[in-house]
Amino acid sequence: MASPALISDTDQWKALQAHVGAIHKTHLRDLMTDADRCKAMTAEFEGVFLDYSRQQATTETVDKLFKLAETAKLKEKIDKMFKGEKINTTENRSVLHVALRAPRDAVINSDGVNVVPEVWAVKDKIKQFSETFRSGSWVGATGKPLTNVVSVGIGGSFLGPLFVHTALQTDPEAAECAKGRQLRFLANVDPVDVARSIKDLDPATTLVVVVSKTFTTAETMLNARTIKEWIVSALGPQAVSKHMIAVSTNLKLVKEFGIDPNNAFAFWDWVGGRYSVCSAVGVLPLSLQYGFPIVQKFLEGASSIDNHFHTSSFEKNIPVLLGLLSVWNVSFLGYPARAILPYSQALEKLAPHIQQLSMESNGKGVSIDGVRLPYEAGEIDFGEPGTNGQHSFYQLIHQGRVIPCDFIGVIKSQQPVYLKGETVSNHDELMSNFFAQPDALAYGKTPEQLQSEKVPENLISHKTFQGNRPSLSFLLSSLSAYEIGQLLSIYEHRIAVQGFIWGINSFDQWGVELGKSLASTVRKQLHASRMEGKPVEGFNPSSASLLTRFLAVKPSTPYDTTVLPKV
């Protein structure tokens, strides 16, 4: 039986491969003189403006990418996702994070059942609970209202909600709603993270949200038991039901843990962890901090892009354009990384979230049919807000490796500042860099220019910038909850487009399992050595040596008593 066809076997893929030579003969400083090309390489939707004219591409390149999308049946695959077909074939699941922010009257089916009413039932429950909590009607074991929230989760249960929380903190409307409240996240099983998450908090005024679908995730549940002990040691065992709630589907284990199952909030198998920020995973802690109306605006922003992605023509479809250009950069031009560079400190946690979203989704080596890929899929994502990044890794992207860049700018600052007598406001100073850096990457600086500036001959090569380094620019009108939702959805769908073109399953993550299973073996050895004095056995020489060295030092925490963080 013949192997399933790969996209790289098609004429359209081969046409793009042949086209690479023509692109290598061009330079962005020449391409950028074509006003018609620059105008054509833009797209806009609801105040989100995309300029991709600084990509190493021509309108012919984009047309060839559209033909590749047609061959890959991109439209059909997008439709299947929105219809709830089980496109996550290795886990036999639908992929319906779009249902989490769909309007109440929408119809999105999974297994023949409209899931939207279920989603809204959970959101209504969150709305009611958050209003009770924020009004002060919900009190802790000592009768005090609770004003602090610690959300305990890892991976998708942490990175997405943290990104949104960080972005909302300085939005004036959201900040007003959060006055007098604290939201913290505990993800790492490292006890240092435990100490930081509860530093200066009073158990009597703290609510803990334990986020684990199965209530069995090793790191999350150890952290949850640690925080539970922190509460119990201060307030007594009866305090757990008043100070701990859950986001989980395993009500049996939730109850056994001591949490009232009525205070557990559900989500579904068709929500991947890294796509779960719009479920109770993110909506619950964010609503406790900012109020449900703010979070609903975030969900509506994400939904607006969902609709744009599903219904717009590819020529003006922002996630589709972004996904196709990423495929071009990775698989044809050979650039393995992408820098995410928001010129907004409020978006400082965007890149860490997209790292997981992108690399866990598209870090695959086989097709959805299990065939080994003859081309690279996925890319290395990293980033830092401007202008911090400029004083960090921009040296490499200007004069070292070629790394395509996403520049993200905001027209209206969340927190405008101007000092009388200064040439520009603080935000305009920031945005001066946002506008300058893409041109610096594209145009570079030639030896001839340096010679005309009388630069010493021995420094010419050091100060030459080759340019021709691709980037694209987003310009957002503002950065309220709505725009934050839009930005999230744009990146989610961009990543899906890449996976659909490459022919991989962007919605499973088997790669995270092997290390976890090996850690279980190490855990058993550590317990046996600590408690029973057993020698290290069954490991390779390197691991055995490292474990023996680790175990040779007396632990700082005795194993016969409970020790909590001292910070």
Side-chain angles (χ1 to χ4, degrees), residues 252-282:
K252 179 176 181 291
L253 291 186
V254 167
K255 184 176 182 180
E256 289 176 5
F257 188 88
I259 295 173
D260 184 345
N262 291 320
N263 296 327
F265 298 80
F267 58 119
W268 304 269
D269 280 344
W270 42 257
V271 183
R274 58 197 175 276
Y275 295 93
S276 65
V277 64
C278 294
S279 73
V281 167

Side-chain angles (χ1 to χ4, degrees), residues 192-469:
V192 170
D193 203 21
V194 179
R196 288 177 175 176
S197 70
I198 61 175
K199 184 178 185 294
D200 299 328
L201 295 187
D202 181 357
T205 57
T206 300
L207 180 72
V208 178
V209 183
V210 182
V211 183
S212 175
K213 184 182 287 189
T214 62
F215 237 60
T216 58
T217 307
E219 303 96 329
T220 297
M221 295 318 298
L222 179 53
N223 277 339
R225 291 190 294 273
T226 304
I227 295 291
K228 178 182 177 181
E229 183 61 32
W230 175 67
I231 290 169
V232 168
S233 64
L235 306 173
Q238 78 289 346
V240 173
S241 63
K242 280 290 190 181
H243 290 264
M244 300 190 80
I245 62 176
V247 177
S248 179
T249 55
N250 194 333
L251 296 184
K252 179 176 181 291
L253 291 186
V254 167
K255 184 176 182 180
E256 289 176 5
F257 188 88
I259 295 173
D260 184 345
N262 291 320
N263 296 327
F265 298 80
F267 58 119
W268 304 269
D269 280 344
W270 42 257
V271 183
R274 58 197 175 276
Y275 295 93
S276 65
V277 64
C278 294
S279 73
V281 167
V283 172
L284 177 57
L286 292 167
S287 294
L288 295 174
Q289 177 71 1
Y290 297 105
F292 185 81
I294 293 287
V295 180
Q296 179 57 23
K297 290 179 182 179
F298 160 73
L299 297 174
E300 288 168 358
S303 182
S304 76
I305 295 295
D306 296 342
N307 185 58
H308 165 70
F309 174 56
H310 192 202
T311 63
S312 296
S313 67
F314 287 175
E315 289 75 14
K316 291 299 177 183
N317 192 312
I318 291 174
V320 168
L321 289 166
L322 294 171
L324 291 174
L325 289 166
S326 288
V327 170
W328 169 245
N329 285 327
V330 172
S331 299
F332 296 96
L333 297 183
Y335 302 142
R338 173 175 63 198
I340 299 167
L341 310 171
Y343 277 68
S344 169
Q345 193 65 28
L347 297 176
E348 65 176 308
K349 294 300 182 182
L350 173 63
H353 177 50
I354 302 307
Q355 283 174 359
Q356 185 199 24
L357 195 61
S358 173
M359 293 196 278
E360 196 167 84
S361 294
N362 289 338
K364 309 293 167 62
V366 298
S367 75
I368 199 163
D369 299 306
V371 178
R372 175 60 56 183
L373 298 179
Y375 48 87
E376 296 292 341
E379 63 217 321
I380 302 160
D381 286 272
F382 71 97
E384 185 75 19
T387 55
N388 293 356
Q390 293 173 200
H391 295 269
S392 174
F393 51 79
Y394 277 39
Q395 169 63 49
L396 184 142
I397 63 177
H398 277 292
Q399 290 185 303
R401 293 176 178 270
V402 178
I403 298 174
C405 298
D406 293 358
F407 289 93
I408 305 168
V410 182
I411 294 174
K412 293 177 65 177
S413 174
Q414 287 182 336
Q415 297 289 327
V417 170
Y418 176 67
L419 302 181
K420 185 178 178 180
E422 291 286 344
T423 305
V424 293
S425 69
N426 295 45
H427 186 62
D428 281 355
E429 177 66 30
L430 173 73
M431 293 300 288
S432 296
N433 289 274
F434 167 82
F435 292 114
Q437 289 291 335
D439 277 346
L441 288 166
Y443 287 83
K445 198 162 190 179
T446 67
E448 292 75 20
Q449 288 174 302
L450 293 165
Q451 286 166 350
S452 71
E453 295 173 4
K454 310 298 184 191
V455 172
E457 194 64 33
N458 66 311
L459 293 179
I460 296 275
S461 60
H462 296 282
K463 292 194 171 188
T464 296
F465 290 73
Q466 292 178 334
N468 206 32
R469 289 160 189 258

Side-chain angles (χ1 to χ4, degrees), residues 56-111:
Q56 286 179 303
T58 62
T59 53
E60 182 185 356
T61 314
V62 177
D63 288 340
K64 289 180 182 295
L65 287 168
F66 287 148
K67 289 185 174 71
L68 184 71
E70 186 178 343
T71 300
K73 298 182 178 178
L74 178 60
K75 179 60 178 169
E76 182 181 317
K77 290 174 180 177
I78 294 170
D79 287 340
K80 284 182 176 180
M81 183 175 81
F82 277 83
K83 288 177 181 175
E85 294 190 26
K86 294 184 178 180
I87 63 172
N88 179 355
T89 53
T90 62
E91 296 178 307
N92 195 34
R93 292 175 181 172
S94 302
V95 177
L96 285 178
H97 44 281
V98 295
L100 300 171
R101 55 259 188 154
R104 197 183 286 268
D105 59 356
V107 177
I108 301 176
N109 292 316
S110 180
D111 287 324

Side-chain angles (χ1 to χ4, degrees), residues 95-174:
V95 177
L96 285 178
H97 44 281
V98 295
L100 300 171
R101 55 259 188 154
R104 197 183 286 268
D105 59 356
V107 177
I108 301 176
N109 292 316
S110 180
D111 287 324
V113 176
N114 182 14
V115 302
V116 176
E118 299 175 46
V119 170
W120 274 93
V122 173
K123 286 199 281 192
D124 288 340
K125 182 179 177 181
I126 291 172
K127 181 176 184 289
Q128 182 180 15
F129 182 85
S130 62
E131 287 174 352
T132 301
F133 176 83
R134 289 170 55 82
S135 71
S137 299
W138 179 284
V139 295
T142 66
K144 294 180 180 179
L146 308 183
T147 55
N148 309 312
V149 175
V150 178
S151 183
V152 183
I154 198 167
S157 300
F158 156 64
L159 290 163
L162 177 63
F163 150 60
V164 179
H165 170 51
T166 307
L168 286 174
Q169 278 182 311
T170 42
D171 170 62
E173 183 184 17

